[in-house]
Amino acid sequence: MMPTLPDIQLIAILPEMILAIMACALFVADPFVDREKKEQLGYFALAALGLSGLSTGFLWGESISTFSGMIVLDSYALFFKTLFLIVSAVIILMSVLYVKIERINLGEYYGLILMATVGMMFMPAATDLLSFYLSLELMSMSLYVLTAFMRKDPKSIEGGIKYFLTGIFASGLILYGIAFLFGATGTTNLANIAAFIRENETVSSPSLIMAFVLLVTGFGFKVAAVPFHMWAPDVYEGSPTPVTAYLSTGSKAAAFSAMLRVFIDAFALSNGNWWQILWIVAVLTMTLGNLLALVQTNMKRLLAYSSIAHAGYLLIGLIAANEIGYAAIMVYLVGYVFMTLGVFALITLLCSANLKGDKISDFKGLARVNPMLGLAFIVFALSLVGIPPSAGFVGKLYLFSAAIQGGFYWLCVIAVLNSTVSLYYYFKVVQVMYMDEPNESTVLSFSPTLKVAIAVTSFVTLFLGLYPEPIIKAAIHSVQTFL
Amino acid sequence: MGTNEFGFPLLSLLAYIPLAGAIAILFFKKEEEEKIMKTAFAVSIVALLVSLLLIPGFDSTKSDMQLTEQYSWIPSLGVEYAFGIDGISLLLIVMTTIITSIAIVSSYTAVNFRIKEYYVSILFLETGMLGVFMALDFFLFYIFWEIMLVPMYFLIGIWGGGRRLYSAIKFFLYTLFGSLFMLLGILAIYFLNANPQYGTGQYTFSILELQKLNLPLHPFQFWLFLAFFLGFAIKVPMFPFHTWLPDAHTDAPTAGSVLLAGILLKMGTYGFVRFCLPIFPEASVYFMPYMSGLALVGIVYGALVALAQKDIKRLVAYSSVSHLGFVMLGIFALNRHGLTGAILQMVNHGVSTGALFLIVGMIYERRHTRLIADFGGLSSKMPIYSAVFAVTMFSSMGLPGLNGFVGEFLILVGAFEANKIYAGIAVIGIILGAAYMLWLFQRMMFGPLDKPENQKLLDMNRREIAYMAPLIVFMFWIGLFPKPFISVMEPAVDKIIARLNSAGAMAKQNSSTENTAKKTDTKKRMITAQLTEKGMLD
């Protein structure tokens, strides 16, 4: 029998194709660009992201399922694709001067960021466990290299190796979970898995539970949920700052986008008692993340624990397992991404030839040296705590309302207590910035691109707090289409 | 959609004048201190004038919200941009604009570094405070309620004294903690209203809509009342949530203490009046003994601790705990007299405690100490100062003829009607209040002027007299002729009382047919349990 090729609509992966091709072009062009002019490759990468963004805009509103149902293009996928493109663009804006200061201005840097972006963009679009796994690996592999990019810095190497080892371990667990799932249901297609579970009522079959636990563990590593978070602080501290930012925003958002797809589509979370495992993980994650963040003196470590805590909040949406909950995860992720990128942009700003700039004490009196930076940081801090008017507040409000609608009152109370705790450590930084005397030696490495990054992130954080309607609407719409 | 009777968003204008001023000042140069101060004052005066404009436009015979503005804002969540005022808010708004202006003038010499940020913070704070009193949408309300904390945090943390950093973050943490529980409460009534079983089936944050909810006492009103209680009780602050207040008040700069005591504390009591009573009337009746109990403990405890203070500012701070206890006692008398008195006492406390903090600020600016023991015999050296101090003290004590008397009297009448024992205990608080105030005055003003540092003290200057004068005028005005203040809030008060009475009647009915009520209650519970199986497990 002749094998028939399935009908493939390449248009569905047009943005990723553009990005992948241009990333390859970038690798090829790299040797021909002078070492001192590598930032041109950064601009090239920005152009690639722009083109890919244009094509994403062109596809807006489409709904295509292709590659034998392994890849879809729906508004959910488009929502996240746009988000990842923006994140990568901001990361590159942050990197241009930073990589020069840290003497890692190599062309591969930008190429790897683009490849990671391609992986991320496939993740919310994957409707088959295999295509999901491939995109996850594409993203992770690129990030493994990027974390260890400062190869002369032992901390970066340490972080890179830790990330690599835990990362492949997590991938292994996910793969193992996929295997169990395949064994139990005979398919890797998410919709077919869901149909199988529905028809055979095997919700409590051991291999299915095993698969669920393994997947939760694997995803737990990827989003740095307790007790799978141990890698995060060291990796965050060691990696080049923009890469850390990328890990904590892009990679985390991508993992969540895939997690939603897998758990909702395949496991139909709203049925059964899956939520009990997630409940425990969420509570541990936010509580431990916030408590450990209290004692940090390094900004990047502090943000590592804060990003752990935020993963805990995000899980609330998954536990509530209602339409609002899923939409809330999307809204929260958008806010989280911008506020976190903003803080990382400020850390990059402090990095100069003789200062790493990632200690909290390096922020001393910064608001007095430059009041605008102070204001920007207040916006980010408010948003991170969840105080209005900020994107973080809207996200939290939406998450809490999902939980209340689902009847998870205790979870809300725990989350509220955690938010209060988080105020202390975020505002410890505000206090240092506003109430301490400035360091004499502080040099701000301003570059036009970094200014753009800070302006954009702070503006969006504030704007989404005042007018979140478009994002909420888009999130609800995309959740409705794939539920 | 729609605007107010003027066809012009007057309330929005008022709320954002200070914000616009703050943003304008951001663009000034740091060195132009004179210009910054003058602009800040001018902005606050403009806001004051606009707030006075509200009075002729306000119909004090109507109980409905007036000058309302309503625009669609976030339709997917049912959030509206809605402003409106009734008599209660009108009083508090005018008080806010007056006290903010005074706070700004009083800072001219008291604050001498980082001038620009200081005035930006105060103006920003004013927008927050005004917004809280005007908002008719919970989302909007919450934004103003929270955003206010930030400038206050900076006021205490940067320009404060003593353990300013500790006090600033303590203030922030305490209030945020309470507010977040209130937020959960807000979300819960939002969903209950969307549930056709209890509400209109609409997703809305509109305060007026949600006030119409008739929730069963158990479990909803009971728990939601507690959630809101936590938010407001910390702000008031009620015993035992008051521990942030002495620290924050003592360490804040003078203007910060004035705004904190004068206005911020009122937000807690305002919250009880505006939200807890109308939305949870049955729970209010149910919790009345507990609330009154806490209020009475606050009254007596605050006064006793005030007696023991060595620092003038700390003494005034503890007197606030006691006075706010009176306000809470009045509110939870749940009758007309009590509520009227409580609202009037909110204004009175703003005026007289604000004045007391200003008085403390003046002497601190001159002597850089606030210990009572460092003073004595000042009346011979500072006659005007001691006269102003005396009037303010009497006003705070509740001497007839001054404002404090009217408020406390009405509260006591209300409390007496509710429960005679409450009134009896509250009277002890008044006596203790007279004791700590008079003793303070005696130790500072009379006796020998034996400290050499005090020999050179100057009396109040013209600026100081000018900003104290309006407060003194209000003390006498409210004390001698309180009618305009009472009649403006009367319709609004009546409306709340009517709502409470109907709930009270219902509560009585329920208790008389307790068994049937219990049966239906358990039935309802079973239904909710089935509906939210997960929730119950959770």
Side-chain angles (χ1 to χ4, degrees):
Chain A
M1 206 176 89
M2 277 284 287
T4 47
L5 276 174
D7 178 31
I8 292 173
Q9 283 177 284
L10 282 179
I11 188 99
I13 57 166
L14 181 64
E16 289 89 340
M17 277 177 14
I18 294 177
L19 218 51
I21 291 170
M22 288 187 75
C24 294
L26 197 150
F27 284 124
V28 173
D30 180 29
F32 305 103
V33 179
D34 192 44
R35 175 81 200 246
E36 292 311 308
K37 290 182 181 162
K38 296 284 188 198
E39 72 260 24
Q40 286 172 353
L41 291 172
Y43 299 127
F44 180 79
L46 274 181
L49 292 168
L51 267 182
S52 177
L54 275 183
S55 64
T56 313
F58 164 74
L59 290 169
W60 202 262
E62 296 280 335
S63 183
I64 306 168
S65 175
T66 183
F67 292 99
S68 317
M70 291 181 91
I71 297 283
V72 291
L73 183 87
D74 53 10
S75 45
Y76 177 77
L78 282 166
F79 182 97
F80 276 108
K81 283 179 189 187
T82 318
L83 184 66
F84 299 143
L85 285 169
I86 297 173
V87 170
S88 308
V90 175
I91 297 290
I92 290 177
L93 288 175
M94 279 163 63
S95 305
V96 174
L97 185 60
Y98 179 87
V99 291
K100 265 193 179 169
I101 293 171
E102 291 285 354
R103 298 177 182 286
I104 47 169
N105 46 337
L106 306 171
E108 297 95 309
Y109 180 86
Y110 300 110
L112 285 167
I113 286 183
L114 292 189
M115 291 315 279
T117 316
V118 175
M120 288 175 192
M121 288 168 73
F122 273 125
M123 281 171 73
T127 45
D128 189 286
L129 289 170
L130 290 181
S131 54
F132 150 68
Y133 185 75
L134 284 178
S135 35
L136 176 74
E137 285 306 276
L138 177 57
M139 173 187 87
S140 303
M141 290 297 169
S142 317
L143 288 174
Y144 297 148
V145 184
L146 282 169
T147 44
F149 214 76
M150 293 194 286
R151 61 203 152 98
K152 283 175 188 152
D153 179 352
K155 275 196 171 170
S156 179
I157 300 292
E158 184 197 330
I161 289 181
K162 271 194 182 157
Y163 188 48
F164 176 65
L165 289 177
T166 49
I168 54 168
F169 184 58
S171 299
L173 289 175
I174 289 178
L175 204 55
Y176 202 25
I178 292 175
F180 268 106
L181 210 49
F182 181 70
T185 62
T187 173
T188 53
N189 183 292
L190 297 179
N192 293 346
I193 293 173
F196 184 89
I197 294 176
R198 210 167 36 240
E199 278 159 28
N200 298 291
E201 290 177 0
T202 48
V203 180
S204 50
S205 92
S207 57
L208 214 55
I209 292 176
M210 199 63 200
F212 183 74
V213 170
L214 284 167
L215 283 175
V216 167
T217 314
F219 276 119
F221 272 110
K222 293 292 175 192
V223 303
V226 176
F228 318 111
H229 65 286
M230 296 82 72
W231 59 273
D234 291 335
V235 175
Y236 276 37
E237 190 187 355
S239 311
T241 310
V243 175
T244 312
Y246 206 31
L247 282 179
S248 87
T249 57
S251 140
K252 184 167 287 200
F256 264 104
S257 70
M259 198 164 161
L260 273 182
R261 186 76 96 178
V262 171
F263 284 169
I264 300 167
D265 261 14
F267 286 92
L269 263 184
S270 40
N271 309 322
N273 289 329
W274 305 119
W275 62 270
Q276 287 169 338
I277 298 175
L278 292 174
W279 196 96
I280 296 167
V281 171
V283 168
L284 282 177
T285 304
M286 53 182 133
T287 312
L288 212 68
N290 277 317
L291 290 182
L292 289 175
L294 286 174
V295 293
Q296 302 305 319
T297 52
N298 180 295
M299 266 311 262
K300 281 157 95 174
R301 287 187 88 85
L302 184 141
L303 285 169
Y305 284 109
S306 120
S307 94
I308 292 170
H310 284 284
Y313 300 136
L314 280 158
L315 286 172
I316 295 175
L318 215 54
I319 296 163
N322 46 25
E323 194 183 299
I324 296 184
Y326 304 140
I329 292 184
M330 299 172 74
V331 173
Y332 196 92
L333 276 173
V334 175
Y336 167 77
V337 156
F338 281 101
M339 63 208 187
T340 311
L341 282 177
V343 179
F344 277 111
L346 290 179
I347 300 176
T348 5
L349 181 67
L350 281 172
C351 173
S352 58
N354 48 16
L355 186 74
K356 239 173 156 25
D358 59 355
K359 292 203 188 58
I360 292 180
S361 56
D362 294 336
F363 279 72
K364 266 187 187 167
L366 191 61
R368 305 184 63 180
V369 178
N370 188 324
M372 282 303 157
L373 290 181
L375 282 180
F377 189 82
I378 291 182
V379 170
F380 299 136
L382 289 179
S383 186
L384 285 162
V385 185
I387 296 173
S390 64
F393 165 68
V394 173
K396 244 180 206 163
L397 176 94
Y398 214 32
L399 276 176
F400 289 170
S401 56
I404 286 190
Q405 198 192 27
F408 294 92
Y409 305 116
W410 282 110
L411 190 60
C412 274
V413 169
I414 294 167
V416 157
L417 292 174
N418 270 294
S419 301
T420 316
V421 171
S422 74
L423 172 80
Y424 184 79
Y425 60 82
Y426 292 125
F427 268 71
K428 196 166 72 181
V429 184
V430 172
Q431 180 196 317
V432 166
M433 285 177 83
Y434 273 86
M435 296 165 201
D436 285 359
E437 293 303 314
N439 285 335
E440 291 299 320
S441 56
T442 307
V443 184
L444 296 179
S445 331
F446 268 117
S447 66
T449 51
L450 191 56
K451 274 186 192 164
V452 172
I454 295 174
V456 168
T457 48
S458 51
F459 174 78
V460 174
T461 308
L462 194 61
F463 180 81
L464 290 182
L466 290 171
Y467 191 64
E469 174 71 11
I471 295 292
I472 293 178
K473 227 170 158 179
I476 292 177
H477 176 71
S478 28
V479 167
Q480 278 167 344
T481 51
F482 93 101
L483 265 183
Chain B
M1 283 273 191
T3 51
N4 56 29
E5 292 86 336
F6 287 147
F8 178 76
L10 193 61
L11 292 177
S12 292
L13 177 75
L14 172 58
Y16 300 122
I17 286 173
L19 181 65
I23 292 171
I25 290 177
L26 271 183
F27 291 100
F28 287 9
K29 281 204 193 80
K30 259 194 295 212
E31 294 75 28
E32 301 173 309
E33 299 186 346
E34 190 79 4
K35 199 171 145 197
I36 290 170
M37 290 195 257
K38 280 189 178 142
T39 315
F41 181 60
V43 170
S44 71
I45 288 293
V46 173
L48 169 60
L49 292 176
V50 174
S51 75
L52 293 179
L53 261 185
L54 300 177
I55 298 172
F58 187 84
D59 180 354
S60 60
T61 56
K62 279 201 276 188
S63 66
D64 292 337
M65 288 291 166
Q66 300 182 35
L67 304 167
T68 49
E69 300 162 21
Q70 202 178 7
Y71 307 96
S72 176
W73 182 12
I74 311 173
S76 5
L77 296 182
V79 174
E80 279 175 343
Y81 176 90
F83 271 164
I85 52 170
D86 61 4
I88 302 172
S89 358
L90 179 67
L91 278 179
L92 292 169
I93 286 169
V94 176
M95 181 178 88
T96 304
T97 53
I98 292 175
I99 290 188
T100 311
S101 302
I102 293 174
I104 288 179
V105 196
S106 77
S107 314
Y108 275 13
T109 49
V111 173
N112 43 27
F113 63 100
R114 299 176 80 177
I115 305 277
K116 177 170 147 181
E117 288 140 297
Y118 180 80
Y119 290 100
V120 168
S121 300
I122 289 198
L123 289 175
F124 197 72
L125 183 63
E126 188 178 9
T127 288
M129 298 185 294
L130 290 171
V132 164
F133 293 132
M134 295 173 185
L136 289 186
D137 183 281
F138 266 121
F139 190 91
L140 188 62
F141 167 80
Y142 193 79
I143 289 187
F144 286 118
W145 174 271
E146 288 278 80
I147 198 62
M148 230 166 41
L149 302 178
V150 181
M152 195 35 107
Y153 166 79
F154 284 116
L155 283 177
I156 301 173
I158 297 180
W159 296 277
R163 292 194 298 167
R164 58 192 165 92
L165 299 179
Y166 167 81
S167 301
I169 196 75
K170 187 173 179 184
F171 159 77
F172 206 158
L173 282 170
Y174 266 63
T175 7
L176 183 75
F177 173 79
S179 315
L180 282 168
F181 277 96
M182 179 180 72
L183 180 67
L184 294 186
I186 293 174
L187 289 172
I189 48 176
Y190 170 75
F191 282 110
L192 285 170
N193 187 52
N195 182 345
Q197 199 187 342
Y198 304 108
T200 57
Q202 297 283 313
Y203 283 101
T204 176
F205 278 103
S206 160
I207 288 169
L208 295 180
E209 282 298 313
L210 295 173
Q211 280 181 346
K212 292 180 195 147
L213 268 176
N214 281 313
L215 297 171
L217 176 57
H218 289 287
F220 298 123
Q221 282 204 22
F222 182 88
W223 288 106
L224 294 176
F225 180 93
L226 285 180
F228 276 76
F229 165 77
L230 211 52
F232 297 135
I234 289 176
K235 198 91 168 181
V236 169
M238 283 177 87
F239 180 88
F241 305 105
H242 65 281
T243 56
W244 64 269
L245 178 132
D247 289 320
H249 273 183
T250 312
D251 294 337
T254 301
S257 311
V258 171
L259 292 173
L260 203 52
I263 305 160
L264 260 72
L265 302 190
K266 305 304 157 347
M267 292 180 176
T269 46
Y270 174 80
F272 277 109
V273 174
R274 173 74 72 227
F275 306 116
C276 280
L277 300 192
I279 303 182
F280 317 116
E282 285 169 66
S284 301
V285 176
Y286 177 86
F287 280 109
M288 176 194 160
Y290 306 100
M291 294 290 123
S292 308
L294 285 182
L296 288 170
V297 174
I299 292 173
V300 177
Y301 170 84
L304 284 175
V305 180
L307 265 176
Q309 294 308 311
K310 296 190 176 76
D311 180 315
I312 312 169
K313 217 170 174 186
R314 239 181 150 75
L315 185 150
V316 180
Y318 275 107
S319 84
S320 273
V321 176
S322 183
H323 285 156
L324 267 299
F326 267 105
V327 176
M328 289 310 299
L329 183 69
I331 293 175
F332 279 93
L334 301 181
N335 53 36
R336 220 167 139 239
H337 287 122
L339 195 54
T340 311
I343 294 163
L344 192 65
Q345 191 64 6
M346 279 156 72
V347 178
N348 290 338
H349 179 261
V351 171
S352 46
T353 306
L356 276 174
F357 275 119
L358 289 168
I359 286 167
V360 178
M362 283 175 214
I363 199 77
Y364 180 74
E365 218 179 298
R366 289 168 169 72
R367 280 281 277 109
H368 295 284
T369 172
R370 288 187 310 248
L371 291 179
I372 301 171
D374 285 343
F375 301 103
L378 296 186
S379 60
S380 60
K381 209 68 199 158
M382 309 170 76
I384 308 177
Y385 180 77
S386 56
V388 171
F389 196 161
V391 173
T392 311
M393 172 189 71
F394 287 130
S395 142
S396 170
M397 272 163 46
L399 192 80
L402 289 166
N403 59 348
F405 174 73
V406 186
E408 281 180 359
F409 183 76
L410 282 169
I411 291 173
L412 285 178
V413 172
F416 193 81
E417 284 166 14
N419 189 328
K420 295 187 181 74
I421 299 169
Y422 296 166
I425 299 174
V427 168
I428 301 177
I430 297 192
I431 297 168
L432 288 172
Y436 64 71
M437 272 297 162
L438 288 171
W439 194 30
L440 168 74
F441 192 76
Q442 184 195 347
R443 281 180 290 172
M444 281 183 71
M445 296 298 163
F446 300 142
L449 185 65
D450 49 4
K451 303 265 181 334
E453 299 92 335
N454 294 340
Q455 305 284 357
K456 288 168 288 188
L457 281 178
L458 294 174
D459 206 351
M460 282 166 71
N461 60 28
R462 262 188 241 157
R463 183 177 55 92
E464 287 164 343
I465 295 173
Y467 68 67
M468 289 305 290
L471 294 174
I472 302 281
V473 169
F474 273 106
M475 287 174 203
F476 280 106
W477 185 4
I478 304 178
L480 297 171
F481 188 59
K483 191 157 182 298
F485 298 91
I486 290 175
S487 61
V488 73
M489 64 170 135
E490 219 160 19
V493 169
D494 285 343
K495 196 176 165 190
I496 296 170
I497 296 298
R499 171 105 172 126
L500 282 170
N501 283 343
S502 64
M506 254 156 66
K508 253 181 207 162
Q509 215 173 14
N510 281 351
S511 62
S512 65
T513 53
E514 202 165 350
N515 284 334
T516 37
K518 257 189 188 159
K519 260 181 209 162
T520 47
D521 201 43
T522 38
K523 220 181 213 174
K524 249 179 211 165
R525 273 193 200 182
M526 275 166 65
I527 295 168
T528 34
Q530 280 162 2
L531 278 175
T532 56
E533 197 177 4
K534 273 188 293 181
M536 289 294 150
L537 278 169
D538 179 35

